[in-house]
Amino acid sequence: MTTRSEPAGSPASGSGSDPGEATLESFGYSQELRRSLRLPDLVVYGLVIMLPIAPFTIFGAVFNESKGMVALTYLIGLVAMLFTALSYREMSRAFPIAGSVYSYAGRGINDKVGFLAGWAILLDYLLVPTLLYVMSAAALNALMPEVPQWSWVVMFVVVNTAINLLGIESTARLNRLFLLGELVVLALFVGFGAAAVARGENGARFSLDPLVNPDLLTPGLIFGALSIAVLSFLGFDAISTLSEEVKDGDRRLVGRATLVALCVVAALFVLQTWIAALLVPGRTEFTGDDATNSAFYDIAWIAGGGWLKQTTAVAAALATGIANSLVAQAATSRLLFSMARDRKLPAFLAYVHPVRRTPERAILFVAALSLALGLFFTGQISLLSQLVNFGALFAFLMLHVAVFVHFRLRNRSPRWHLHVVAPAAGLLITGSVLWNADADAKTGGLAWLGIGVLVLLFYRLSGRGTDLALED
């Protein structure tokens, strides 16, 4: 087995008495990050990064694409993403280490594919914090136009970086508080919304039209809805970046948390969008950008008045700018740490603070990059979204291939439903969405992959290699 020397500034390896530490040592690593996360922490982390109130901000766009069947859109998205979640579960159990799809593809297929998968997901992870800051700044600017958007970006970056530097326990505690706040606001909307439907506000009545309207349902509409729904769930994969911080190194927790978080958030998506769609009966689209962007908040006004509209708008902005960005920065820093530890990125990113046991320099790097890009891309939400989506979807493709290669081809697994059928379905769905992605997204994404190929060639020609240690 190939082993590595520890990065400069890393704490020495322990005795290996801890099961998680022994597992890491079998892959050629020493335990550096603090193991303190349990199943509830991982589930909360996944819920926060997927944002239970995410439909607030994109309800109008999804409504238009689905002809009002928004709840159906999220049900389709859940089915589509379950296949990818199953692949993450299987690989997280086989390789319980930080790095997400970078580690899984590298060990499941080979080191070169792993590097390209990691490079692709980097496009997603590096830009997600920036995208969230820009989205939140735009939302708050609509409420307080006298405050420049760049100042919100600076504030969010500083706050999130300080919290992440304190350690993963601080992040986990704040995740619970943020999630509680989001669920309170969501409960207010659902409660007042259901009451408004019961009273017949705006002609509303309880029906299953937001779930399925046979008169409007077509294969083309289902595919269009699927494309949007899949992208709405992006982020659940970030749970796997915390594999080396799981209490006692339990291999099952990451995969279990991924599936639980995905199903819970899907149920919340369906519930809130069903109520919202009921309050605009007979409508199949919102006309104009302004009406589309403010659709959910206008419906909140129908449900509870101006205070509920303001509450949902502020909650969406803060949840995006702080709660969601906080966990996105944490996940990105762990991916950078993992790749730097394997010498695929500059070694300084692999430094772990000896007391707080956090990848300090990776956190600061993500903060600096997010600040620079956030100031540059202020107001350009569409372009950032397209690039983020390409990186995630391409990485998902590599994940599904890795499951098949590692379990079926290499280890002759008899579990065809998990190691052949599920990854094949996930590959087909993800590939279809990626194929039909925006042209600019594909151009930018392919350019990013081209740079990754050049970096890979540099490593090979310079003799640095891209080998990864496999478990004995």
Side-chain angles (χ1 to χ4, degrees), residues 18-280:
D18 176 74
E21 185 171 341
T23 297
L24 272 184
E25 288 177 349
S26 70
F27 289 105
Y29 302 122
S30 60
Q31 182 64 48
E32 300 175 86
L33 304 178
R34 189 185 303 279
R35 289 194 177 275
S36 60
L37 302 179
R38 301 178 185 274
L39 180 62
D41 298 316
L42 295 173
V43 172
V44 168
Y45 182 93
L47 291 176
V48 171
I49 202 167
M50 282 188 284
L51 205 60
I53 58 175
F56 286 14
T57 59
I58 60 172
F59 178 84
V62 182
F63 188 96
N64 290 349
E65 186 68 32
S66 63
K67 302 299 182 185
M69 291 175 281
V70 188
L72 175 64
T73 296
Y74 284 109
L75 280 177
I76 294 173
L78 171 62
V79 174
M81 284 293 96
L82 277 176
F83 293 113
T84 299
L86 285 172
S87 289
Y88 267 104
R89 186 190 70 175
E90 295 303 295
M91 294 305 283
S92 69
R93 290 179 176 180
F95 305 105
I97 53 181
S100 186
V101 71
Y102 155 70
S103 297
Y104 303 154
R107 289 168 173 79
I109 307 175
N110 62 51
D111 58 294
K112 289 174 280 295
V113 174
F115 176 84
L116 289 178
W119 188 262
I121 204 71
L122 263 181
L123 183 62
D124 173 13
Y125 280 27
L126 288 175
L127 292 180
V128 160
T130 301
L131 173 62
L132 295 173
Y133 294 137
V134 170
M135 289 175 63
S136 187
L140 289 175
N141 182 254
L143 296 175
M144 292 175 278
E146 68 278 4
V147 180
Q149 292 189 43
W150 63 264
S151 63
W152 293 117
V153 173
V154 173
M155 185 196 74
F156 290 139
V157 170
V158 171
V159 170
N160 288 338
T161 302
I163 295 171
N164 271 313
L165 287 175
L166 290 175
I168 195 64
E169 296 96 336
S170 298
T171 303
R173 284 193 295 268
L174 284 169
N175 282 344
R176 297 189 195 101
L177 292 176
F178 285 133
L179 180 60
L180 177 61
E182 291 176 40
L183 293 179
V184 168
V185 173
L186 182 56
L188 287 172
F189 172 78
V190 170
F192 280 91
V197 174
R199 294 194 308 269
E201 293 285 348
N202 200 38
R205 63 178 180 83
F206 287 105
S207 74
L208 294 179
D209 286 350
L211 285 169
V212 58
N213 187 337
D215 296 334
L216 298 176
L217 193 61
T218 64
L221 182 143
I222 291 176
F223 182 81
L226 175 62
S227 299
I228 294 179
V230 166
L231 303 180
S232 299
F233 287 100
L234 292 184
F236 73 90
D237 54 294
I239 297 175
S240 65
T241 65
L242 303 180
S243 292
E244 292 181 29
E245 293 161 274
V246 172
K247 187 76 171 178
D248 300 326
D250 191 336
R251 292 179 178 227
R252 300 168 298 174
L253 291 190
V254 167
R256 189 177 300 166
T258 300
L259 289 171
V260 171
L262 189 63
C263 290
V264 170
V265 83
L268 296 176
F269 285 175
V270 170
L271 176 61
Q272 64 191 278
T273 57
W274 176 59
I275 294 293
L278 289 176
L279 288 167
V280 283

Side-chain angles (χ1 to χ4, degrees), residues 51 53 121 149 167 220 292-293 314 318 348 425:
L51 205 60
I53 58 175
I121 204 71
Q149 292 189 43
T292 299
N293 292 336
V314 172
L318 295 181
F348 80 92

Side-chain angles (χ1 to χ4, degrees), residues 101 116-125 127 234 237 385-398 434 441 444-446 448-449:
V101 71
L116 289 178
W119 188 262
I121 204 71
L122 263 181
L123 183 62
D124 173 13
Y125 280 27
L127 292 180
L234 292 184
D237 54 294
S385 300
Q386 293 162 5
L387 292 174
V388 164
N389 293 337
F390 182 94
L393 292 171
F394 184 86
F396 289 170
L397 290 179
M398 298 299 98
L434 188 60
L446 290 174
W448 176 257
L449 289 178

